[in-house]
Amino acid sequence: MPNLDFKGKKILFISPIFYDYHSIIKEKLKSLGAEVLFYPERDYSLKFSVVSNFFQSKLDAFQSKYYFEILKKTEHITFDYLFVIKAYKMPVKFVEIFKARYPKAKTIMNQWDSAKNNSYDYLIDEFHKVLSFDIEDVRKNSKLEYLPNFYLDDIKKIDVKSYKNDIRYDIFLVASFLPERYASILKLIDFSKKNNLEYKIKLYMSFMSYIKEFVKGNRIDKNVIIFKPLSRKEYLKMWSLSDMIYDIGSNKQTGLSQRTIETIEVGKKLITNNRFIKQEVIYNPDQVLVINSNNFDGILDFRNREFVAVKTNYSLESWIEKIFK
């Protein structure tokens, strides 16, 4: 990446803790010469879970206090960049204070969620540059730049052909819990059982969220729930032993998930409910099956379909270059 040189530059990096992506991005920036100070976008303790699930009216104030504490902790440091992913309930005042404190610094926000899921429109004018992976959000707002997500280098170590004889699962899905996603995968499990398909399907939800659903009268099947996110190593182990990767995105977003890009890049088959993938240059109908979340009839034919894998060119390096160039 010859066009990027962060030597002597300091970056305040704020992002969700999502698997190990935040750590990997941080380390990549450091390898390019940057000094990176990372803060999660929120408090990941039990305290946040209680406020988020049971005291929603206090959540904005809770988040504002959290962000202002970041400013207080870093007031002795001179930053060259503010790099934010998602900016969950970030107050405008936080960005204003940062820019006033560091008038020469560049402020950049990237979204790997949709505006419907995570309202951030009020922040757009506060940043020098705003990018989004959601193609519909970009079409609606000319101030956004389109930037698909990326794959991580560790998937390059997986030789798909060598695993062909070791495939254990026909269908594999590990994702965060969403009500519509849960309803769909129950039907997928039923379909798999009827058609003798081996599957590994798990949805992550916090124990506090599970309790909240229980109190509301929703009985979630514990067989498909995990209360702790899988490590990247655990995820890739099951991923490598799976023939088809299932991706069911939120109904409120159109962007391609990391799961989608990694699956295509490494040469595995992808099943997805995201019809917007058909508009992407990486779409290959022989490798990607687009289905309705509640209709799985095409899976059996798709399983036996031959295809020539394509490369996405959506590496982490190219992603960072497009953000900071």
Side-chain angles (χ1 to χ4, degrees), residues 183-227:
S184 178
I185 65 111
L186 290 181
K187 295 176 183 178
L188 176 60
I189 289 173
D190 184 58
F191 173 86
S192 299
K193 289 178 178 179
K194 289 179 179 178
N195 291 280
N196 298 314
L197 297 176
E198 296 295 326
Y199 61 89
K200 187 71 172 181
I201 297 174
K202 295 292 181 182
L203 295 181
Y204 162 73
M205 70 186 308
S206 68
F207 185 71
M208 188 65 68
S209 296
Y210 179 82
I211 295 299
K212 181 179 178 181
E213 292 296 324
F214 186 87
V215 170
K216 289 162 59 177
N218 298 327
R219 300 297 182 260
I220 308 298
D221 185 353
K222 281 189 176 181
N223 291 320
V224 298
I225 295 299
I226 52 176
F227 296 123

Side-chain angles (χ1 to χ4, degrees), residues 63-121:
Q63 278 296 97
S64 290
K65 181 180 179 182
Y66 175 80
Y67 281 114
F68 291 136
E69 285 177 352
I70 293 177
L71 287 174
K72 185 176 181 180
K73 291 175 182 176
T74 60
E75 60 186 354
H76 63 289
I77 303 172
T78 299
F79 290 105
D80 300 282
Y81 293 95
L82 171 63
F83 175 37
V84 178
I85 296 177
K86 193 175 179 181
Y88 178 67
K89 293 189 177 296
M90 177 177 283
V92 169
K93 194 67 177 177
F94 172 86
V95 189
E96 290 177 343
I97 293 174
F98 181 92
K99 289 191 297 185
R101 187 182 288 178
Y102 316 109
K104 294 182 179 180
K106 298 298 181 184
T107 55
I108 304 170
M109 177 169 64
N110 180 72
Q111 291 294 330
W112 55 27
D113 205 346
S114 70
K116 292 179 180 178
N117 280 331
N118 174 53
S119 178
Y120 62 89
D121 289 353

Side-chain angles (χ1 to χ4, degrees), residues 10 19 33 57 70 75 95-96 102 126 145 152 167 181 203-204 211 224 230 239 251 254 258 262-263 292 295 310:
K10 293 184 176 68
Y19 295 106
S57 62
I70 293 177
E75 60 186 354
V95 189
E96 290 177 343
Y102 316 109
E126 302 302 321
E145 295 182 35
L152 297 181
I167 291 297
R181 185 176 282 159
L203 295 181
Y204 162 73
I211 295 299
V224 298
L230 292 179
W239 189 78
N251 295 332
T254 64
Q258 252 99 358
E262 291 183 338
T263 300
N292 180 295
N295 188 339
V310 300

